[in-house]
Amino acid sequence: MSEPETDPEILLRDFLGYHLKRAYVTVHADFRDIMGDAGLSTRVFSALAMVVGQQGITQSELARALGVERSGMVALID
């Protein structure tokens, strides 16, 4: 009888969530490196990009597009 596989990479390679998380970590690290001292979070950057790209967008539309509660949008905008 063979030993069960114990290499974490082999154990996790069939899990989509594992690969998505690894991709997220890589992209987020690159984002932080690119933003440097500006220190913008991905959420703030996304909000700014939406406002520039969709001039005249309402706060409610922005909240919906970003998947943020309307009440949480106030803190983001502040």
Side-chain angles (χ1 to χ4, degrees), residues 19-40:
H19 293 287
L20 290 173
K21 179 64 176 183
R22 288 192 61 172
Y24 168 80
V25 168
T26 300
V27 169
H28 195 259
D30 286 348
F31 178 83
R32 283 193 320 264
D33 289 344
I34 290 168
M35 293 310 295
D37 293 335
L40 291 178

Side-chain angles (χ1 to χ4, degrees), residues 5-78:
E5 190 59 60
T6 57
D7 181 0
E9 288 291 323
I10 292 173
L11 291 172
L12 296 172
R13 72 176 168 211
D14 292 333
F15 292 102
L16 177 60
Y18 169 73
H19 293 287
L20 290 173
K21 179 64 176 183
R22 288 192 61 172
Y24 168 80
V25 168
T26 300
V27 169
H28 195 259
D30 286 348
F31 178 83
R32 283 193 320 264
D33 289 344
I34 290 168
M35 293 310 295
D37 293 335
L40 291 178
S41 69
T42 53
R43 180 178 281 191
V44 171
F45 178 83
S46 298
L48 289 172
M50 287 290 297
V51 168
V52 169
Q54 298 288 321
Q55 293 185 8
I57 191 170
T58 68
Q59 187 171 328
S60 293
E61 290 168 335
L62 182 59
R64 200 170 24 260
L66 296 176
V68 175
E69 292 287 328
R70 284 183 6 197
S71 60
M73 187 54 62
V74 173
L76 180 64
I77 291 173
D78 286 348

